[in-house]
Amino acid sequence: MAVLPISITGDPVLHSPAKPVDSIDGAIRELVANMFDTMDAAPGVGLAAPQIGVPLRIFTYSWSDDEVSWRGVAINPELLITPPPVGVPNPEEESEGCLSVPGERFGLRRAEHAILRATDLENVAYEINATGWLARIFQHEFDHLCGILYTDRLGEEDQRVVKKVTRKLGWGVPGKQWVPGVDRLEG
Ligand code: ZN
C-alpha cells in the first residue's frame, strides 16, 4: 500500500469523464487500498480515482458526523440528488475544498439530499441515503468521475479568483502533482 501523488487542476485526467470498472480484481483492490492511504495522508474526506491519475469510476470517502462514521468505496456509482437551494452560499457553512486545488476554499451550494448507489470491493451493491455534509462529499466525488471540479461550479467572481491562483501557482497545465506528507498543501 502506498500514498500516491495527487493530480492538480489542469491535468487532463481531472477534466475528462472516467470509465466504468469492468471487474473487481487484484489491481482494483490494490488501487482502492492506495486511494484510502492517499486520502488519509492528505488528509481528505474523499478521493476519486482520477485524482491519482486513474480514469476509472471509483471514489473513496471517510467522514464522521456526531453519530455515525462513514467510510467506504463507491465503484461505478450513481447519484440521485435533490435540487440545490437557490441563493448565495454561506461562506462559513458551505465552504468546500478539493485535494486537486489544494489549500483553497470556496463557498458552493449543494443539494441537501443525495442517494448514492454503488458497488463495494466485494461486488455487493449498496445504497446510502445521505444528507448534509455526507451528501456534499458524494456530490463532490461523483463530479470528479464526470470530469468536473467544484471550482467549475463557482460563480463568476470566484472563478476569476481561481484563475488568478491557478496562474500564480503555475497550475492549469498537465502533469502538476503534489504528494501528501511531503508537500503539506492541505490540512
Ligand atoms: Zn476534489
Side-chain angles (χ1 to χ4, degrees):
M1 288 189 275
V3 173
L4 301 175
I6 296 176
S7 295
I8 291 176
T9 180
D11 197 285
V13 72
L14 294 171
H15 307 283
S16 332
K19 295 181 183 66
V21 175
D22 290 334
S23 66
I24 297 165
D25 54 14
I28 295 291
R29 266 185 273 275
E30 192 185 338
L31 169 69
V32 170
N34 290 342
M35 285 175 66
F36 276 113
D37 282 358
T38 305
M39 174 178 70
D40 291 344
V45 293
L47 185 76
Q51 293 184 276
I52 51 164
V54 179
L56 288 175
R57 296 184 62 80
I58 305 175
F59 69 75
T60 54
Y61 54 91
S62 184
W63 185 74
S64 304
D65 62 23
D66 296 339
E67 289 138 29
V68 200
S69 281
W70 300 95
R71 187 174 172 87
V73 57
I75 298 171
N76 295 334
E78 289 174 52
L79 197 69
L80 303 159
I81 62 170
T82 52
V86 292
V88 289
N90 177 330
E92 311 257 299
E93 287 167 14
E94 299 176 282
S95 190
E96 199 163 311
C98 177
L99 297 176
S100 292
V101 191
E104 303 299 323
R105 292 281 182 284
F106 293 94
L108 179 65
R109 300 238 108 168
R110 291 283 196 185
E112 179 60 22
H113 299 277
I115 295 173
L116 173 71
R117 289 180 183 151
T119 298
D120 67 14
L121 265 187
E122 278 69 54
N123 208 17
V124 176
Y126 68 91
E127 181 176 298
I128 295 175
N129 198 337
T131 56
W133 206 260
L134 185 65
R136 178 180 291 271
I137 293 167
F138 288 165
Q139 290 167 76
H140 180 112
E141 300 310 329
F142 188 82
D143 269 356
H144 273 301
L145 306 184
C146 307
I148 297 167
L149 297 186
Y150 87 105
T151 48
D152 298 331
R153 296 190 178 277
L154 299 175
E156 239 174 82
E157 209 171 295
D158 284 340
Q159 294 257 17
R160 267 198 293 275
V161 178
V162 170
K163 278 208 182 89
K164 226 169 152 180
V165 170
T166 300
R167 217 176 15 239
K168 192 175 150 211
L169 297 175
W171 299 344
V173 292
K176 291 281 173 181
Q177 296 177 325
W178 68 284
V179 182
V182 176
D183 298 317
R184 300 193 186 284
L185 294 181
E186 278 283 316

